Amino acid sequence: MDNDDVAEAWRPVTPLSRLRELAAQAPGPARIVASRIGLPAELAEEVAVRAVAGGPDWFGVLRALAAHPATPAERLAEFAAHPEESVRRVAAVHRATPKSSLKALARDGSPAVRRALAGRERLPRKLAASLVADTSGEVRLALVRRVGAWPEHLRALATDPDARVRRVVAVLGHAGDADLTDPDPGVRRTAVGKRAAPELAPWLDALARDPDIRVRELTAQQYHNCTPAVLARLAADAEPCVRAAAAANAFTPVRQLTELAGDPSLAVLVAISQNTTAPPETLARLVETITHSFGDGQNVAPWQEEDVQRLAYAALGHPATPPESLRTLHALELWPYFHPGNAMDQPNWPADLMVEFGLTYCAGTVSGKAEIESFAAIDDARETEPPEDVLAAMVRSPVYYLRRAVANRHTPSEVLAEFARDPARAEDTGLLNDIAKNPATPVEILLAWAQAGVRQYGMLKNPALPEPVLAAIAAGTDTSDAAQAHWLLEVRALRAGTETPC
C-alpha cells in the first residue's frame, strides 16, 4: 500500500470521488476508507458489496465496516453470519446488530465470538442468562467482567469451575460466603480483602489457620480485626509477613505486641515501631532488641541498612517510647540524619537531652540582648539546676526554639498551664499544639480545648490522652478527628477488658 494513498485515504478533505477510487484499488486503501467517520452510506455500501464478493484479503475491510458506527442493521446481520470468525466477532459487539443475530451468535461454534458477545456493552438479559452455562471459561469470564452484569448471573457463577470467574464474582461482592471457603487461594484472598472485619467475624478463626500465607496476612491486616485470640494466633505465625501484619494491627493485644518486639524479623520490628498504639513496655522491649541486634552495627547487612535506619527513626519518633529507651537508642547513632529540632517535638525525651537539643538547635540563631542573655542563663543553669527548672526557664525564654520545651512531659504542669492560659500566647498555634500532645498538660486544659473543638490534631498525638478528652473529641463535628478518637477509645476499651490498659 502506497504511503501517499494511505495519507490521502485518511485526509478529511479528500473528495468523495477520490475516496471511491482508493476504495476500488485494493483491500488496504478500502479498509481505511471503510474506517472513516462520516463515510457516506452510498460509498459504504459500495465498499461492502466489493468486500463481501472478495476473498480473505478483504476480511479486514469487512471488520472495519462491522465496527463502523453507521453500518446499518441489515448489513451487520450479514456480517454476523459471515463464515470468517473475525468478522462475526466484530459484529457481535456492534450496538446495531439485530437481536436475532445476537441469539445466533450466542450459539456460535467459536468461543472467541461468544466471548466478544458476552462482553458487549448492551447484552439482552435473557441472552446473558444463556451464556452463564457456556462451556468456555473465557466466555463466562467476559460475562462477569462486563459493565452492568446482572446480580443473578454473578451469583450463579459464584461456584463456577473456573477460578478466574469466581475471583471476579468475589471482587464484585456477589459470592455470598462461598468465596471464603473457596479451594482457590486467590478467591479467598479476594474475599478477605473485600470484606470488613465485622463481616468476617464468624470466619476469623478459620482464616487465621488458612494454608495460604497471603490469606493469613490479609486477615492480620484487617483494620477492625479485634478478636484477641485470633490476633494472638496470627502474632505467633511461622511466616514473618503474617507476624508483621499482626504487629502493625492496632488491636493486637499488648502481650503479643511485646513478644513481637523481640522478633528476629526486621520487618516485624519495623511494623511494631510504626504501630501508633504500641504501649511503652512494647517500645522498651523493641529498643532492647534493636540494641542487642543492631547496636554494634556488625549484624547489619548492606541491604538491611535502610530498614534499620527506618526502624531507629520510627522508634525515636514514637510518642510512647520511654525516656530512658530514647536515651539508649539515641546513643547508638543508628539514624545518621538525627535532627534535634525534630526531637523537640516528641514528649518523652529525657529532660537533660531536651535541654541539650534546644540549646544546640538554636545556638547559631539567637540575636538581640534579651535572647542572648536568656540563652546564656539557661546554658549556665543546666549545670546546677534541676532539669525540670531549666525546662521551665526555656518555656519562658524569648527564644522561640527554647520554648519548644512545652512539648516535653518533664516540663512542670503548672508552667504548661501558665503558657496555655496566657492571652498573649493565643496566636502561638505551633506551641499550643505542642502542649496539646504533652502528657503532662493538665486534663482541664485539654478537656476545654476538646469541647471547644480546637487543638484536636495535637491532642490525638498525645500518648496518654485522658479518656474524657478522647470522648469529647469523638463527640465533635470534625469527622476525621472524631473517627480517630472513636478508634482509640475502641482500642483502649478492648485492652481494658482483656489485659492491663495501656
Side-chain angles (χ1 to χ4, degrees):
M1 183 172 17
D2 186 273
N3 288 337
D4 292 339
D5 289 345
V6 170
E8 196 172 7
W10 280 122
R11 192 173 296 124
V13 296
T14 301
L16 183 61
S17 57
R18 180 55 182 158
L19 289 176
R20 182 171 282 107
E21 292 175 1
L22 290 168
Q25 284 182 5
R31 179 178 58 80
I32 295 173
V33 172
S35 301
R36 287 174 59 104
I37 299 299
L39 183 68
E42 181 183 352
L43 180 53
E45 183 60 24
E46 291 178 20
V47 174
V49 170
R50 188 174 293 109
V52 168
D57 290 345
W58 288 82
F59 288 166
V61 180
L62 293 178
R63 288 193 295 271
L65 289 167
H68 200 288
T71 300
E74 57 271 19
R75 182 60 74 181
L76 288 167
E78 185 178 343
F79 293 155
H82 196 276
E84 168 57 25
E85 175 196 272
S86 63
V87 176
R88 302 197 306 278
R89 188 171 67 242
V90 177
V93 300
H94 199 291
R95 287 188 173 193
T97 300
K99 186 177 292 187
S100 57
S101 296
L102 296 180
K103 290 180 180 179
L105 290 169
R107 300 186 298 272
D108 197 280
S110 167
V113 172
R114 302 197 307 276
R115 181 180 66 218
L117 178 68
R120 65 177 276 126
E121 183 180 354
R122 296 178 181 176
L123 181 65
R125 197 169 194 147
K126 290 184 178 179
L127 206 55
S130 71
L131 294 173
V132 168
D134 196 277
T135 56
S136 169
E138 296 292 338
V139 174
R140 303 192 303 275
L141 185 60
L143 189 65
V144 295
R145 282 177 171 170
R146 65 181 295 274
V147 175
W150 282 280
E152 66 267 26
H153 301 155
L154 293 170
R155 288 192 292 270
L157 291 165
T159 56
D160 193 89
D162 192 319
R164 297 173 302 167
V165 174
R166 302 198 303 275
R167 288 178 195 174
V168 176
V169 175
V171 167
L172 296 174
H174 289 279
D177 289 328
D179 49 0
L180 289 166
T181 56
D182 195 279
D184 178 68
V187 176
R188 299 198 303 278
R189 293 172 192 171
T190 300
V192 175
K194 177 72 177 177
R195 287 169 170 79
E199 298 176 75
L200 291 174
W203 306 89
L204 286 175
D205 188 62
L207 293 169
R209 304 169 189 266
D210 195 279
D212 184 73
I213 296 170
R214 180 62 177 150
V215 169
R216 302 198 303 276
E217 183 181 13
L218 287 168
T219 303
Q221 289 172 348
Q222 281 287 335
Y223 182 66
H224 272 90
N225 176 357
C226 51
T227 307
V230 170
L231 287 166
R233 170 175 291 279
L234 293 164
D237 197 275
E239 294 295 330
C241 65
V242 179
R243 300 197 304 277
N249 194 311
F251 292 94
T252 297
V254 169
R255 177 183 173 184
Q256 276 69 41
L257 282 178
T258 305
E259 290 175 356
L260 287 170
D263 199 275
S265 167
L266 185 55
V268 175
L269 301 180
V270 169
I272 286 284
S273 73
Q274 296 174 345
N275 186 332
T276 57
T277 67
E281 59 264 40
T282 299
L283 274 299
R285 175 78 186 282
L286 176 66
V287 173
E288 289 178 10
T289 304
I290 294 172
T291 302
H292 295 146
S293 300
F294 311 111
D296 58 6
Q298 300 300 312
N299 297 326
V300 181
W303 61 86
Q304 291 181 311
E305 287 182 0
E306 186 174 338
D307 285 336
V308 171
Q309 290 176 2
R310 186 157 56 103
L311 170 61
Y313 182 69
L316 285 169
H318 198 292
T321 303
E324 290 310 309
S325 295
L326 286 172
R327 186 190 303 278
T328 300
L329 190 58
H330 176 52
L332 296 177
E333 298 183 344
L334 289 173
W335 177 251
Y337 312 111
F338 177 79
H339 196 294
N342 293 338
M344 293 172 70
D345 290 340
Q346 213 265 39
N348 286 343
W349 281 95
D352 59 320
L353 286 180
M354 183 66 175
V355 173
E356 179 186 328
F357 293 156
L359 292 171
T360 301
Y361 187 57
C362 66
T365 64
V366 292
S367 62
K369 181 180 179 181
E371 287 193 359
I372 293 172
E373 289 179 350
S374 173
F375 182 92
I378 291 168
D379 195 19
D380 290 340
R382 65 170 169 161
E383 302 296 334
T384 58
E385 302 295 326
E388 292 78 8
D389 291 347
V390 180
L391 290 174
M394 290 171 63
V395 171
R396 299 185 176 106
S397 171
V399 181
Y400 176 82
Y401 287 108
L402 292 181
R403 296 201 298 275
R404 296 302 299 273
V406 295
N408 191 269
R409 71 190 309 156
H410 300 97
T411 300
S413 296
E414 61 273 17
V415 176
L416 297 175
E418 173 191 312
F419 190 102
R421 290 170 175 150
D422 185 351
R425 305 293 188 186
E427 302 301 319
D428 208 341
T429 305
L431 294 180
L432 291 173
N433 277 330
D434 284 341
I435 291 177
K437 64 187 179 186
N438 191 334
T441 300
V443 64
E444 59 269 19
I445 290 177
L446 297 173
L447 189 57
W449 282 343
Q451 291 171 342
V454 297
R455 316 268 177 259
Q456 296 186 6
Y457 176 79
M459 284 188 285
L460 288 171
K461 294 180 178 294
N462 190 324
L465 193 64
E467 289 198 9
V469 181
L470 268 178
I473 296 174
T477 57
D478 187 310
T479 54
S480 176
D481 289 340
Q484 186 177 348
H486 273 295
W487 169 68
L488 289 171
L489 285 169
E490 189 176 355
V491 172
R492 290 190 184 186
L494 177 70
R495 290 180 177 174
T498 58
E499 54 196 332
T500 303
C502 65

